[in-house]
Amino acid sequence: MLPGACAAGPAMRVLVGGGTGFVGRALTQLLRSRGHEVTHVSRQGGKDRISWEELSHSGLPLCDAVVNLAGENVLNPFRRWDDAFCREVISSRVETTKTLAKAIADAEQPPHAWVLVTGVGYYRPSPTAEYTEDSPGGDFDFFSRLVSSWEAAALVPGSPARGVVVRSGVVLGRDGGAISQMLWPFRLGLGGPLGSGLQPFPWIHIRDLAGIVCHALESECLQGVLNGVSPSSATTSNSTFAQELAAALGRPALLPVPAWAVRAVFGAERAIMLLEGQKVVPKRTLESGYHFIFPELSGALKDIVA
């Protein structure tokens, strides 16, 4: 079997919240290539799309599976970290998830699978602790509590739909995500590690994140939490990432970005996401039979910057 693939079952009708975003585009392409029919939930309706408002009023269209990827970009450097942006970050995740969960609960013919993508911010940052899907977390800062609320919003008591939560690391890919903001400084030879550079850097290639979601949809017995990080991400530091990205671009990575500068741009609360990190292991993801396309960072980055 090809890496990143699972045996394709019967064609499914999949409803994807946030399907037009960075991860949503990759997932849509993969699902359609495997014969599945995809409908997006977005701000406005259209071809192969329904609006969030339509979903709230008319309920769930007939479908076999539902995925939610919706969420305002937390690390948008053009947005100040104030109460208004905080509320947007929360509602774009928790409220969209509640809307989909309610539609699933109310559906006369509920879907078979319900997949939510959240984040490894659930686990407490630590330079040493290693986290599997069974590790505790979710109650120590804004982001961990956000993930807890987000995952709680997805619960549909008594529903026949299989529930899967994928806790994603930093998503690496072309045309969006973390790399798009870093590429120009690194191309100009001005890139480097953030802060000390020693903090863990939990990452995943976008094709693997889409692959894990597809695997979760197509594996009829799979439910519960899956860590969406690469198998080697537990041994990747921010400094290693900076060196590997520079090497893939054929540039040096000599200029560390001091912690104070990161805090100045993003605010103290968001800066924690960049200056601290978690060693996360995809234990259940691997045990479930998912084969990573990009298990190693150098291969992932070469693919992205090629």
Side-chain angles (χ1 to χ4, degrees):
M1 197 181 296
L2 290 171
C6 38
M12 290 185 288
R13 291 159 299 185
V14 186
L15 185 70
V16 182
T20 55
F22 174 51
V23 178
R25 293 193 301 272
L27 177 63
T28 299
Q29 189 179 357
L30 175 60
L31 290 173
R32 286 180 176 155
S33 76
R34 294 174 69 76
H36 304 304
E37 193 182 300
V38 180
T39 302
H40 294 154
V41 191
S42 54
R43 289 188 181 94
Q44 292 177 315
K47 187 181 184 301
D48 299 327
R49 279 190 307 183
I50 63 167
S51 69
W52 288 101
E53 194 177 351
E54 200 180 330
L55 179 69
S56 298
H57 290 160
S58 309
L60 200 69
L62 195 60
C63 60
D64 304 296
V66 178
V67 178
N68 195 20
L69 303 166
E72 180 66 38
N73 177 13
V74 174
L75 290 173
N76 181 346
F78 304 110
R79 292 294 303 271
R80 248 183 76 241
W81 187 247
D82 54 18
D83 286 347
F85 187 50
C86 266
R87 282 195 299 274
E88 251 178 79
V89 164
I90 294 166
S91 72
S92 64
R93 288 162 172 75
V94 178
E95 296 308 317
T96 57
T97 302
K98 277 184 183 168
T99 300
L100 285 165
K102 184 180 185 306
I104 291 167
D106 294 345
E108 280 181 31
Q109 287 183 265
H112 308 305
W114 165 213
V115 179
L116 176 67
V117 177
T118 66
V120 294
Y122 178 85
Y123 307 112
R124 186 184 288 274
S126 164
T128 53
E130 273 198 2
Y131 299 108
T132 69
E133 290 86 349
D134 298 318
S135 301
D139 60 356
F140 56 86
D141 68 1
F142 172 85
F143 295 107
S144 65
R145 286 189 285 272
L146 170 60
V147 176
S148 285
S149 305
W150 195 358
E151 294 180 3
L155 296 173
V156 186
S159 171
R162 277 187 302 113
V164 180
V165 170
V166 181
R167 290 185 185 142
S168 170
V170 177
V171 185
L172 306 180
R174 291 180 205 171
D175 308 321
I179 293 272
S180 64
Q181 293 172 14
M182 299 177 193
L183 223 42
W184 278 110
F186 274 87
R187 281 195 197 282
L188 296 170
L190 301 173
L194 301 178
S196 71
L198 300 174
Q199 67 273 32
F201 186 79
W203 64 274
I204 186 166
H205 190 289
I206 191 165
R207 281 179 60 198
D208 278 315
L209 183 56
I212 291 168
V213 173
C214 178
H215 174 66
L217 292 172
E218 293 181 346
S219 304
E220 289 176 10
C221 300
L222 196 52
Q223 56 187 347
V225 177
L226 300 174
N227 281 336
V229 293
S230 131
S232 66
S233 85
T235 57
T236 307
S237 68
N238 188 276
S239 179
T240 312
F241 171 75
Q243 286 161 5
E244 291 276 11
L245 178 55
L249 291 165
R251 297 286 187 274
L254 304 174
L255 294 171
V257 181
W260 62 262
V262 178
R263 290 190 191 99
V265 172
F266 291 102
E269 206 156 26
R270 274 193 298 184
I272 289 169
M273 296 178 72
L274 299 168
L275 298 172
E276 299 179 21
Q278 307 88 338
K279 294 186 174 192
V280 182
V281 180
K283 183 171 180 285
R284 284 193 75 231
T285 308
L286 290 166
E287 287 170 355
S288 75
Y290 181 74
H291 300 282
F292 280 82
I293 306 166
F294 295 103
E296 300 295 332
L297 184 61
S298 56
L301 292 173
K302 280 178 189 142
D303 172 73
I304 291 162
V305 303

